[in-house]
Amino acid sequence: MDNLKQELMEHLPPIFAGRAVDSLTGNAVRWRTIQNLRSQKKIPEDCFMRQGSRKTLLVRAPFVEWFLQYIN
């Protein structure tokens, strides 16, 4: 898992558009799934930022930490 964490931290930008998660992860993580889990309060809010009134951004460090716990 440490290797996967390191690779994700190196590959993903520090902050990125939620919609980009599909392409950035080779569709291993889908934005639609992230949105569903977020609506069920299964993802910490510190994984997200807002840009303006509509665009949701993902914050790499807390998102990667959550994702690695989620897949275990």
Side-chain angles (χ1 to χ4, degrees), residues 6-30:
Q6 181 180 353
E7 288 184 30
L8 287 170
M9 294 297 282
E10 290 173 3
H11 179 71
L12 296 174
I15 298 172
F16 55 96
R19 291 181 177 205
V21 75
D22 294 30
S23 61
L24 287 171
T25 63
N27 291 322
V29 180
R30 301 299 302 244

Side-chain angles (χ1 to χ4, degrees), residues 14-15 38 42-50 56-67 69:
I15 298 172
R38 184 181 186 196
K42 294 183 178 180
I43 300 178
E45 279 301 312
D46 65 340
C47 293
F48 303 96
M49 288 180 60
R50 301 287 289 174
T56 301
L57 306 175
L58 285 171
V59 183
R60 176 186 62 201
F63 178 74
V64 168
E65 291 294 332
W66 167 82
F67 177 70
Q69 290 177 5

